[in-house]
Amino acid sequence: MRIIATGLLVLAALVFVSMHVFTDVHGFWGFVAAGAEAAMVGAIADWFAVTALFRHPLGLPIPHTAIIPRKKDVLGESLSTFVALNFLKASTVAPKIRSARVTQRAGQWLLAPDHQDLLVARAGQGLEYVLGRVDDGAIEALTRNVLIPKLVATHKTPVLARLIAEIVEDGAHHRLVDLIVAEAHVWLEANPHVIDEIVAQRSPEWMPRFVNDTLSNRLRREVLGWVAAVRDSREHKARQALDRWLLELSGALAQDTSIARRTEGVLDDLLREEGVVHSVLDIWGSLKRLLRSAVLEDGGEVHARIRSLLDDVAVRMTSDEAFADRLNDQLATAAGDLAESFGAEIASVISDTIASWDAREAAEKIELYVGKDLQYIRINGTVIGALVGIVIHAFTLLLPA
């Protein structure tokens, strides 16, 4: 396009010279000469204007030329601000995200088994990458130098008191009590000699054996009956007494009492034990092995469950219009809020990129992008100049001599 525009300028110059050399520049040839002269003026003026945007015309440091190389940073900032203010707005971004129907399109993508396999594989690779980057030494240092000192410095008994109160209020301890009482009943039934030995040790030596046996049998029946009653009745007085005791303990731990201070000291001593660090490392090692075997094992139960979950989600995303519309609205709102909050930072990629360019490089990139239209400006200037020159020549002929 630059060659065409320059060629028209050369053609106009050749026509102009030819008219003055080979004709008397009157009549029809006068119009041709005037048109060629004006075409040269228009072509040179527009060439200067276009060239001045990107460089100094003919290398001459004429004022107000090479505008883009000199003003590229200002141009980048202005363009960045323009985009942030006019495009990265919630009112602009949210409707676009909503109309894109992201949920339905994502659901269609997820329906393909190959895509589900790909997603599961990528999740496994991501997990393996994370686990590979977490060093056991870092976990030990974090536990020893950060977590344990933080826990020791924290006042724990109020939290423990709140936990005990919540457990009693929700009845979450009943299953544990059921388990303990049931096991105690089974053990007592399987070990009757324990009570016999206790009675034999506590009774006087002169006590007849049959008396001890009678007492042991009676005591065994009473104990087993009492344990069975506690086991079978959630409203048993022993259970109610346990609940009251736990609530009283919770109240004592919540205040600055001697039992609260002793409990705090015991907890601190336990936390300072070296075994705590080793236990954390053991748990971390077991967790890593569990995650690896569960997520990275192809064809395993976890993989099957994840694929089933993805399939269910994909079906709902594509078939449940209310669910999809609600999710699209949430995505659109979130995207709009992000654009509104971080629009300036997002748009700054424009100004930062342009600022990183060399001045000549920036001019060349922009000229390459819009150069074709700019050369059309030169072509139009040549043609329009020729037409204007012909019209002006016609007016001069109409003027009185």
Side-chain angles (χ1 to χ4, degrees):
M1 293 304 300
R2 184 182 294 149
I3 291 173
I4 294 174
T6 305
L8 289 177
L9 171 59
V10 173
L11 177 62
L14 291 175
V15 171
F16 177 76
V17 172
S18 299
M19 291 302 101
H20 282 274
V21 172
F22 299 108
T23 70
D24 56 2
V25 198
H26 288 90
F28 172 74
W29 302 115
F31 283 94
V32 175
E37 181 179 7
M40 285 192 300
V41 173
I44 293 173
D46 284 342
W47 166 81
F48 182 90
V50 170
T51 304
L53 289 173
F54 304 101
R55 63 187 63 84
H56 296 298
L58 301 177
L60 300 176
I62 302 172
H64 305 294
T65 59
I67 296 172
I68 290 178
R70 290 190 300 106
K71 298 287 188 178
K72 71 177 183 69
D73 292 346
V74 176
L75 175 64
E77 290 289 345
S78 300
L79 185 59
S80 176
T81 303
F82 177 78
V83 170
L85 293 179
N86 295 278
F87 294 94
L88 297 178
K89 306 289 289 184
S91 58
T92 304
V93 174
K96 190 67 177 178
I97 298 296
R98 192 175 289 109
S99 65
R101 296 175 65 82
V102 177
T103 301
Q104 289 86 342
R105 292 164 69 177
Q108 289 290 344
W109 186 87
L110 270 178
L111 281 174
D114 292 344
H115 295 163
Q116 294 177 9
D117 293 341
L118 177 64
L119 194 61
V120 173
R122 290 291 182 268
Q125 292 171 3
L127 176 64
E128 179 63 25
Y129 177 84
V130 172
L131 292 178
R133 295 301 182 276
V134 179
D135 183 39
D136 290 347
I139 298 296
E140 180 180 1
L142 177 67
T143 304
R144 190 185 303 277
N145 301 326
V146 179
L147 294 181
I148 290 179
K150 189 68 175 178
L151 288 173
V152 170
T154 302
H155 200 35
K156 296 170 285 298
T157 50
V159 179
L160 182 59
R162 176 79 176 272
L163 177 62
I164 294 174
E166 291 289 340
I167 289 174
V168 174
E169 182 177 349
D170 296 338
H173 63 303
H174 289 319
R175 290 187 180 274
L176 178 61
V177 174
D178 292 342
L179 176 63
I180 294 174
V181 175
E183 290 297 323
H185 189 273
V186 171
W187 185 84
L188 286 171
E189 277 190 325
N191 298 274
H193 62 277
V194 173
I195 295 180
D196 294 340
E197 292 175 357
I198 294 175
V199 172
Q201 292 173 0
R202 299 295 178 90
S203 64
E205 294 181 358
W206 49 265
M207 185 69 66
R209 183 179 179 82
F210 76 92
V211 175
N212 288 342
D213 292 341
T214 303
L215 180 60
S216 297
N217 292 333
R218 179 62 182 273
L219 182 60
R220 188 183 310 113
R221 287 195 301 272
E222 291 295 331
V223 171
L224 283 173
W226 182 82
V227 173
V230 175
R231 179 196 62 190
D232 298 334
S233 175
R234 286 283 179 92
E235 304 300 327
H236 195 276
K237 292 182 179 180
R239 289 178 180 260
Q240 295 176 359
L242 175 63
D243 290 350
R244 288 193 299 270
W245 178 79
L246 289 174
L247 291 176
E248 291 174 0
L249 177 63
S250 172
L253 291 175
Q255 301 174 7
D256 186 18
T257 59
S258 59
I259 189 172
R261 290 191 293 272
R262 288 198 302 272
T263 303
E264 195 77 44
V266 170
L267 292 175
D268 290 344
D269 292 339
L270 289 174
L271 287 171
R272 293 190 183 98
E273 289 289 335
E274 187 66 20
V276 174
V277 177
H278 297 318
S279 298
V280 171
L281 291 177
D282 291 340
I283 293 172
W284 167 244
S286 300
L287 180 61
K288 284 199 301 184
R289 289 191 297 272
L290 175 63
L291 290 174
R292 281 195 170 100
S293 62
V295 179
L296 302 180
E297 180 183 350
D298 291 334
E301 182 181 356
V302 174
H303 273 211
R305 288 181 179 273
I306 293 176
R307 288 190 185 92
S308 177
L309 176 62
L310 291 176
D311 193 58
D312 293 343
V313 171
V315 169
R316 189 176 184 190
M317 291 168 72
T318 53
S319 60
D320 190 340
E321 289 294 331
F323 171 77
D325 291 342
R326 184 166 63 252
L327 193 56
N328 284 332
D329 287 339
Q330 293 173 353
L331 289 173
T333 301
D337 292 342
L338 287 173
E340 195 83 37
S341 302
F342 303 101
E345 288 81 358
I346 297 173
S348 66
V349 69
I350 300 174
S351 58
D352 293 344
T353 302
I354 294 177
S356 67
W357 288 347
D358 177 73
R360 179 176 296 180
E361 179 188 6
E364 290 175 352
K365 285 180 180 291
I366 297 174
E367 184 178 14
L368 182 63
Y369 185 74
V370 298
K372 189 174 182 179
D373 292 326
L374 293 176
Q375 299 309 315
Y376 270 118
I377 293 175
R378 290 179 59 192
I379 294 172
N380 292 335
T382 304
V383 175
I384 298 300
L387 295 176
V388 172
I390 293 172
V391 172
I392 293 175
H393 182 69
F395 272 110
T396 59
L397 293 178
L398 295 175
L399 292 176

